[in-house]
PDB file of all heavy atoms in Angstrom:
ATOM      1  N   LEU A 246       1.429 -41.783  41.751  1.00  0.00           N
ATOM      2  CA  LEU A 246       2.501 -42.751  41.490  1.00  0.00           C
ATOM      3  C   LEU A 246       1.888 -44.143  41.609  1.00  0.00           C
ATOM      4  O   LEU A 246       1.326 -44.491  42.657  1.00  0.00           O
ATOM      5  CB  LEU A 246       3.616 -42.544  42.524  1.00  0.00           C
ATOM      6  CG  LEU A 246       4.952 -43.248  42.270  1.00  0.00           C
ATOM      7  CD1 LEU A 246       6.052 -42.587  43.070  1.00  0.00           C
ATOM      8  CD2 LEU A 246       4.907 -44.729  42.584  1.00  0.00           C
ATOM      9  N   LEU A 247       1.975 -44.917  40.552  1.00  0.00           N
ATOM     10  CA  LEU A 247       1.337 -46.242  40.502  1.00  0.00           C
ATOM     11  C   LEU A 247       2.276 -47.251  39.835  1.00  0.00           C
ATOM     12  O   LEU A 247       3.237 -46.863  39.156  1.00  0.00           O
ATOM     13  CB  LEU A 247       0.046 -46.170  39.669  1.00  0.00           C
ATOM     14  CG  LEU A 247      -1.046 -45.190  40.112  1.00  0.00           C
ATOM     15  CD1 LEU A 247      -2.111 -45.081  39.029  1.00  0.00           C
ATOM     16  CD2 LEU A 247      -1.684 -45.619  41.426  1.00  0.00           C
ATOM     17  N   ALA A 248       1.953 -48.539  40.016  1.00  0.00           N
ATOM     18  CA  ALA A 248       2.649 -49.571  39.248  1.00  0.00           C
ATOM     19  C   ALA A 248       2.237 -49.424  37.777  1.00  0.00           C
ATOM     20  O   ALA A 248       1.100 -49.071  37.477  1.00  0.00           O
ATOM     21  CB  ALA A 248       2.249 -50.953  39.757  1.00  0.00           C
ATOM     22  N   TYR A 249       3.191 -49.688  36.861  1.00  0.00           N
ATOM     23  CA  TYR A 249       2.860 -49.656  35.436  1.00  0.00           C
ATOM     24  C   TYR A 249       3.249 -50.987  34.803  1.00  0.00           C
ATOM     25  O   TYR A 249       4.335 -51.483  35.060  1.00  0.00           O
ATOM     26  CB  TYR A 249       3.600 -48.508  34.729  1.00  0.00           C
ATOM     27  CG  TYR A 249       3.031 -48.258  33.351  1.00  0.00           C
ATOM     28  CD1 TYR A 249       1.876 -47.490  33.197  1.00  0.00           C
ATOM     29  CD2 TYR A 249       3.589 -48.840  32.223  1.00  0.00           C
ATOM     30  CE1 TYR A 249       1.321 -47.297  31.950  1.00  0.00           C
ATOM     31  CE2 TYR A 249       3.023 -48.653  30.969  1.00  0.00           C
ATOM     32  CZ  TYR A 249       1.887 -47.878  30.837  1.00  0.00           C
ATOM     33  OH  TYR A 249       1.320 -47.677  29.611  1.00  0.00           O
ATOM     34  N   PRO A 250       2.373 -51.576  33.984  1.00  0.00           N
ATOM     35  CA  PRO A 250       1.105 -51.072  33.471  1.00  0.00           C
ATOM     36  C   PRO A 250      -0.132 -51.472  34.290  1.00  0.00           C
ATOM     37  O   PRO A 250      -1.254 -51.183  33.866  1.00  0.00           O
ATOM     38  CB  PRO A 250       1.021 -51.708  32.080  1.00  0.00           C
ATOM     39  CG  PRO A 250       1.718 -53.021  32.241  1.00  0.00           C
ATOM     40  CD  PRO A 250       2.790 -52.827  33.278  1.00  0.00           C
ATOM     41  N   ALA A 251       0.055 -52.095  35.460  1.00  0.00           N
ATOM     42  CA  ALA A 251      -1.118 -52.546  36.227  1.00  0.00           C
ATOM     43  C   ALA A 251      -1.952 -51.374  36.736  1.00  0.00           C
ATOM     44  O   ALA A 251      -3.169 -51.483  36.899  1.00  0.00           O
ATOM     45  CB  ALA A 251      -0.660 -53.413  37.397  1.00  0.00           C
ATOM     46  N   LEU A 252      -1.281 -50.247  36.983  1.00  0.00           N
ATOM     47  CA  LEU A 252      -1.945 -49.036  37.504  1.00  0.00           C
ATOM     48  C   LEU A 252      -2.603 -49.267  38.868  1.00  0.00           C
ATOM     49  O   LEU A 252      -3.680 -48.739  39.149  1.00  0.00           O
ATOM     50  CB  LEU A 252      -2.933 -48.467  36.470  1.00  0.00           C
ATOM     51  CG  LEU A 252      -2.267 -48.062  35.150  1.00  0.00           C
ATOM     52  CD1 LEU A 252      -3.281 -47.650  34.105  1.00  0.00           C
ATOM     53  CD2 LEU A 252      -1.268 -46.911  35.362  1.00  0.00           C
ATOM     54  N   THR A 253      -1.921 -50.052  39.685  1.00  0.00           N
ATOM     55  CA  THR A 253      -2.354 -50.250  41.064  1.00  0.00           C
ATOM     56  C   THR A 253      -1.484 -49.409  41.998  1.00  0.00           C
ATOM     57  O   THR A 253      -0.363 -49.028  41.636  1.00  0.00           O
ATOM     58  CB  THR A 253      -2.169 -51.722  41.485  1.00  0.00           C
ATOM     59  OG1 THR A 253      -0.793 -52.085  41.228  1.00  0.00           O
ATOM     60  CG2 THR A 253      -3.086 -52.635  40.705  1.00  0.00           C
ATOM     61  N   LYS A 254      -2.008 -49.190  43.199  1.00  0.00           N
ATOM     62  CA  LYS A 254      -1.220 -48.441  44.181  1.00  0.00           C
ATOM     63  C   LYS A 254      -0.121 -49.321  44.779  1.00  0.00           C
ATOM     64  O   LYS A 254       0.865 -48.807  45.281  1.00  0.00           O
ATOM     65  CB  LYS A 254      -2.132 -47.901  45.274  1.00  0.00           C
ATOM     66  CG  LYS A 254      -2.928 -46.722  44.758  1.00  0.00           C
ATOM     67  CD  LYS A 254      -3.675 -45.995  45.847  1.00  0.00           C
ATOM     68  CE  LYS A 254      -4.298 -44.750  45.246  1.00  0.00           C
ATOM     69  NZ  LYS A 254      -5.453 -44.277  45.963  1.00  0.00           N
ATOM     70  N   ALA A 255      -0.349 -50.650  44.719  1.00  0.00           N
ATOM     71  CA  ALA A 255       0.668 -51.557  45.251  1.00  0.00           C
ATOM     72  C   ALA A 255       1.811 -51.646  44.255  1.00  0.00           C
ATOM     73  O   ALA A 255       1.615 -52.076  43.111  1.00  0.00           O
ATOM     74  CB  ALA A 255       0.060 -52.941  45.467  1.00  0.00           C
ATOM     75  N   ILE A 256       2.996 -51.217  44.656  1.00  0.00           N
ATOM     76  CA  ILE A 256       4.097 -51.177  43.683  1.00  0.00           C
ATOM     77  C   ILE A 256       5.237 -52.127  44.042  1.00  0.00           C
ATOM     78  O   ILE A 256       6.299 -52.087  43.436  1.00  0.00           O
ATOM     79  CB  ILE A 256       4.649 -49.734  43.524  1.00  0.00           C
ATOM     80  CG1 ILE A 256       5.208 -49.226  44.862  1.00  0.00           C
ATOM     81  CG2 ILE A 256       3.591 -48.790  42.994  1.00  0.00           C
ATOM     82  CD1 ILE A 256       6.033 -47.977  44.688  1.00  0.00           C
ATOM     83  N   ASP A 257       4.990 -53.008  45.021  1.00  0.00           N
ATOM     84  CA  ASP A 257       6.082 -53.861  45.515  1.00  0.00           C
ATOM     85  C   ASP A 257       6.637 -54.827  44.466  1.00  0.00           C
ATOM     86  O   ASP A 257       7.835 -55.003  44.352  1.00  0.00           O
ATOM     87  CB  ASP A 257       5.609 -54.677  46.733  1.00  0.00           C
ATOM     88  CG  ASP A 257       5.356 -53.754  47.909  1.00  0.00           C
ATOM     89  OD1 ASP A 257       5.811 -52.595  47.834  1.00  0.00           O
ATOM     90  OD2 ASP A 257       4.688 -54.172  48.865  1.00  0.00           O
ATOM     91  N   ASN A 258       5.737 -55.462  43.709  1.00  0.00           N
ATOM     92  CA  ASN A 258       6.193 -56.486  42.775  1.00  0.00           C
ATOM     93  C   ASN A 258       6.196 -56.009  41.333  1.00  0.00           C
ATOM     94  O   ASN A 258       5.869 -56.748  40.415  1.00  0.00           O
ATOM     95  CB  ASN A 258       5.306 -57.727  42.890  1.00  0.00           C
ATOM     96  CG  ASN A 258       5.515 -58.387  44.230  1.00  0.00           C
ATOM     97  OD1 ASN A 258       6.642 -58.532  44.683  1.00  0.00           O
ATOM     98  ND2 ASN A 258       4.419 -58.766  44.881  1.00  0.00           N
ATOM     99  N   THR A 259       6.548 -54.775  41.138  1.00  0.00           N
ATOM    100  CA  THR A 259       6.494 -54.258  39.774  1.00  0.00           C
ATOM    101  C   THR A 259       7.882 -53.810  39.347  1.00  0.00           C
ATOM    102  O   THR A 259       8.676 -53.355  40.172  1.00  0.00           O
ATOM    103  CB  THR A 259       5.500 -53.074  39.689  1.00  0.00           C
ATOM    104  OG1 THR A 259       5.431 -52.654  38.354  1.00  0.00           O
ATOM    105  CG2 THR A 259       5.925 -51.901  40.548  1.00  0.00           C
ATOM    106  N   SER A 260       8.182 -53.966  38.053  1.00  0.00           N
ATOM    107  CA  SER A 260       9.510 -53.538  37.615  1.00  0.00           C
ATOM    108  C   SER A 260       9.487 -52.096  37.117  1.00  0.00           C
ATOM    109  O   SER A 260      10.529 -51.482  36.920  1.00  0.00           O
ATOM    110  CB  SER A 260      10.035 -54.472  36.527  1.00  0.00           C
ATOM    111  OG  SER A 260       9.111 -54.541  35.484  1.00  0.00           O
ATOM    112  N   GLU A 261       8.281 -51.578  36.908  1.00  0.00           N
ATOM    113  CA  GLU A 261       8.186 -50.183  36.481  1.00  0.00           C
ATOM    114  C   GLU A 261       7.072 -49.469  37.242  1.00  0.00           C
ATOM    115  O   GLU A 261       6.019 -50.057  37.495  1.00  0.00           O
ATOM    116  CB  GLU A 261       7.894 -50.093  34.984  1.00  0.00           C
ATOM    117  CG  GLU A 261       9.093 -50.396  34.121  1.00  0.00           C
ATOM    118  CD  GLU A 261       8.832 -50.182  32.638  1.00  0.00           C
ATOM    119  OE1 GLU A 261       7.684 -50.324  32.200  1.00  0.00           O
ATOM    120  OE2 GLU A 261       9.779 -49.864  31.936  1.00  0.00           O
ATOM    121  N   VAL A 262       7.325 -48.194  37.554  1.00  0.00           N
ATOM    122  CA  VAL A 262       6.252 -47.370  38.114  1.00  0.00           C
ATOM    123  C   VAL A 262       6.051 -46.162  37.199  1.00  0.00           C
ATOM    124  O   VAL A 262       6.927 -45.816  36.402  1.00  0.00           O
ATOM    125  CB  VAL A 262       6.555 -46.891  39.563  1.00  0.00           C
ATOM    126  CG1 VAL A 262       6.649 -48.062  40.518  1.00  0.00           C
ATOM    127  CG2 VAL A 262       7.798 -46.035  39.624  1.00  0.00           C
ATOM    128  N   ILE A 263       4.886 -45.563  37.333  1.00  0.00           N
ATOM    129  CA  ILE A 263       4.590 -44.355  36.567  1.00  0.00           C
ATOM    130  C   ILE A 263       4.249 -43.239  37.551  1.00  0.00           C
ATOM    131  O   ILE A 263       3.616 -43.499  38.581  1.00  0.00           O
ATOM    132  CB  ILE A 263       3.404 -44.593  35.594  1.00  0.00           C
ATOM    133  CG1 ILE A 263       3.186 -43.382  34.697  1.00  0.00           C
ATOM    134  CG2 ILE A 263       2.103 -44.929  36.336  1.00  0.00           C
ATOM    135  CD1 ILE A 263       2.215 -43.643  33.536  1.00  0.00           C
ATOM    136  N   ILE A 264       4.744 -42.055  37.253  1.00  0.00           N
ATOM    137  CA  ILE A 264       4.162 -40.882  37.915  1.00  0.00           C
ATOM    138  C   ILE A 264       3.392 -40.168  36.810  1.00  0.00           C
ATOM    139  O   ILE A 264       3.972 -39.803  35.772  1.00  0.00           O
ATOM    140  CB  ILE A 264       5.209 -39.928  38.523  1.00  0.00           C
ATOM    141  CG1 ILE A 264       6.201 -40.685  39.403  1.00  0.00           C
ATOM    142  CG2 ILE A 264       4.506 -38.830  39.345  1.00  0.00           C
ATOM    143  CD1 ILE A 264       7.329 -39.801  39.950  1.00  0.00           C
ATOM    144  N   ALA A 265       2.093 -40.056  36.985  1.00  0.00           N
ATOM    145  CA  ALA A 265       1.243 -39.438  35.958  1.00  0.00           C
ATOM    146  C   ALA A 265       0.550 -38.238  36.566  1.00  0.00           C
ATOM    147  O   ALA A 265       0.239 -38.238  37.764  1.00  0.00           O
ATOM    148  CB  ALA A 265       0.215 -40.444  35.457  1.00  0.00           C
ATOM    149  N   CYS A 266       0.318 -37.225  35.733  1.00  0.00           N
ATOM    150  CA  CYS A 266      -0.400 -36.063  36.265  1.00  0.00           C
ATOM    151  C   CYS A 266      -1.302 -35.453  35.208  1.00  0.00           C
ATOM    152  O   CYS A 266      -1.126 -35.659  34.000  1.00  0.00           O
ATOM    153  CB  CYS A 266       0.576 -35.018  36.795  1.00  0.00           C
ATOM    154  SG  CYS A 266       1.569 -34.275  35.517  1.00  0.00           S
ATOM    155  N   ALA A 267      -2.299 -34.746  35.693  1.00  0.00           N
ATOM    156  CA  ALA A 267      -3.161 -33.926  34.833  1.00  0.00           C
ATOM    157  C   ALA A 267      -3.212 -32.549  35.481  1.00  0.00           C
ATOM    158  O   ALA A 267      -3.387 -32.431  36.695  1.00  0.00           O
ATOM    159  CB  ALA A 267      -4.562 -34.524  34.734  1.00  0.00           C
ATOM    160  N   VAL A 268      -3.026 -31.522  34.631  1.00  0.00           N
ATOM    161  CA  VAL A 268      -2.954 -30.145  35.135  1.00  0.00           C
ATOM    162  C   VAL A 268      -3.931 -29.294  34.334  1.00  0.00           C
ATOM    163  O   VAL A 268      -3.932 -29.334  33.102  1.00  0.00           O
ATOM    164  CB  VAL A 268      -1.509 -29.594  34.990  1.00  0.00           C
ATOM    165  CG1 VAL A 268      -1.423 -28.180  35.537  1.00  0.00           C
ATOM    166  CG2 VAL A 268      -0.512 -30.512  35.687  1.00  0.00           C
ATOM    167  N   LYS A 269      -4.741 -28.537  35.071  1.00  0.00           N
ATOM    168  CA  LYS A 269      -5.744 -27.701  34.394  1.00  0.00           C
ATOM    169  C   LYS A 269      -5.245 -26.274  34.248  1.00  0.00           C
ATOM    170  O   LYS A 269      -4.848 -25.643  35.235  1.00  0.00           O
ATOM    171  CB  LYS A 269      -7.039 -27.686  35.215  1.00  0.00           C
ATOM    172  CG  LYS A 269      -7.824 -28.954  35.092  1.00  0.00           C
ATOM    173  CD  LYS A 269      -9.138 -28.836  35.842  1.00  0.00           C
ATOM    174  CE  LYS A 269      -9.954 -30.100  35.650  1.00  0.00           C
ATOM    175  NZ  LYS A 269     -10.983 -30.272  36.660  1.00  0.00           N
ATOM    176  N   PHE A 270      -5.282 -25.786  33.024  1.00  0.00           N
ATOM    177  CA  PHE A 270      -5.015 -24.378  32.759  1.00  0.00           C
ATOM    178  C   PHE A 270      -6.352 -23.727  32.421  1.00  0.00           C
ATOM    179  O   PHE A 270      -7.391 -24.386  32.459  1.00  0.00           O
ATOM    180  CB  PHE A 270      -3.990 -24.237  31.631  1.00  0.00           C
ATOM    181  CG  PHE A 270      -2.611 -24.690  32.036  1.00  0.00           C
ATOM    182  CD1 PHE A 270      -2.207 -26.009  31.834  1.00  0.00           C
ATOM    183  CD2 PHE A 270      -1.732 -23.819  32.666  1.00  0.00           C
ATOM    184  CE1 PHE A 270      -0.950 -26.435  32.238  1.00  0.00           C
ATOM    185  CE2 PHE A 270      -0.475 -24.243  33.073  1.00  0.00           C
ATOM    186  CZ  PHE A 270      -0.080 -25.559  32.860  1.00  0.00           C
ATOM    187  N   GLU A 271      -6.302 -22.425  32.093  1.00  0.00           N
ATOM    188  CA  GLU A 271      -7.580 -21.729  31.948  1.00  0.00           C
ATOM    189  C   GLU A 271      -8.501 -22.390  30.920  1.00  0.00           C
ATOM    190  O   GLU A 271      -9.658 -22.648  31.187  1.00  0.00           O
ATOM    191  CB  GLU A 271      -7.345 -20.273  31.598  1.00  0.00           C
ATOM    192  CG  GLU A 271      -8.651 -19.518  31.639  1.00  0.00           C
ATOM    193  CD  GLU A 271      -8.466 -18.031  31.829  1.00  0.00           C
ATOM    194  OE1 GLU A 271      -7.342 -17.599  32.151  1.00  0.00           O
ATOM    195  OE2 GLU A 271      -9.478 -17.319  31.637  1.00  0.00           O
ATOM    196  N   LYS A 272      -7.950 -22.697  29.729  1.00  0.00           N
ATOM    197  CA  LYS A 272      -8.816 -23.232  28.668  1.00  0.00           C
ATOM    198  C   LYS A 272      -8.593 -24.698  28.383  1.00  0.00           C
ATOM    199  O   LYS A 272      -9.275 -25.282  27.549  1.00  0.00           O
ATOM    200  CB  LYS A 272      -8.577 -22.454  27.366  1.00  0.00           C
ATOM    201  CG  LYS A 272      -9.078 -21.037  27.404  1.00  0.00           C
ATOM    202  CD  LYS A 272      -9.446 -20.579  26.008  1.00  0.00           C
ATOM    203  CE  LYS A 272      -9.925 -19.157  26.003  1.00  0.00           C
ATOM    204  NZ  LYS A 272      -8.994 -18.248  25.337  1.00  0.00           N
ATOM    205  N   THR A 273      -7.571 -25.279  28.982  1.00  0.00           N
ATOM    206  CA  THR A 273      -7.296 -26.668  28.625  1.00  0.00           C
ATOM    207  C   THR A 273      -6.673 -27.432  29.783  1.00  0.00           C
ATOM    208  O   THR A 273      -6.220 -26.852  30.757  1.00  0.00           O
ATOM    209  CB  THR A 273      -6.419 -26.736  27.345  1.00  0.00           C
ATOM    210  OG1 THR A 273      -6.501 -28.025  26.779  1.00  0.00           O
ATOM    211  CG2 THR A 273      -4.954 -26.420  27.637  1.00  0.00           C
ATOM    212  N   ARG A 274      -6.677 -28.742  29.624  1.00  0.00           N
ATOM    213  CA  ARG A 274      -6.152 -29.642  30.663  1.00  0.00           C
ATOM    214  C   ARG A 274      -5.099 -30.509  29.988  1.00  0.00           C
ATOM    215  O   ARG A 274      -5.360 -31.104  28.948  1.00  0.00           O
ATOM    216  CB  ARG A 274      -7.326 -30.488  31.169  1.00  0.00           C
ATOM    217  CG  ARG A 274      -6.994 -31.615  32.134  1.00  0.00           C
ATOM    218  CD  ARG A 274      -8.303 -32.347  32.443  1.00  0.00           C
ATOM    219  NE  ARG A 274      -8.129 -33.564  33.191  1.00  0.00           N
ATOM    220  CZ  ARG A 274      -7.752 -34.734  32.673  1.00  0.00           C
ATOM    221  NH1 ARG A 274      -7.476 -34.839  31.396  1.00  0.00           N
ATOM    222  NH2 ARG A 274      -7.644 -35.801  33.442  1.00  0.00           N
TER     223      ARG A 274
END
Side-chain angles (χ1 to χ4, degrees):
L246 192 160
L247 302 170
Y249 193 82
L252 300 174
T253 54
K254 285 190 173 155
I256 61 167
D257 292 345
N258 292 316
T259 183
S260 55
E261 285 185 331
V262 296
I263 186 169
I264 309 176
C266 67
V268 181
K269 284 184 177 160
F270 291 91
E271 188 158 348
K272 290 208 181 111
T273 198
R274 173 183 171 280

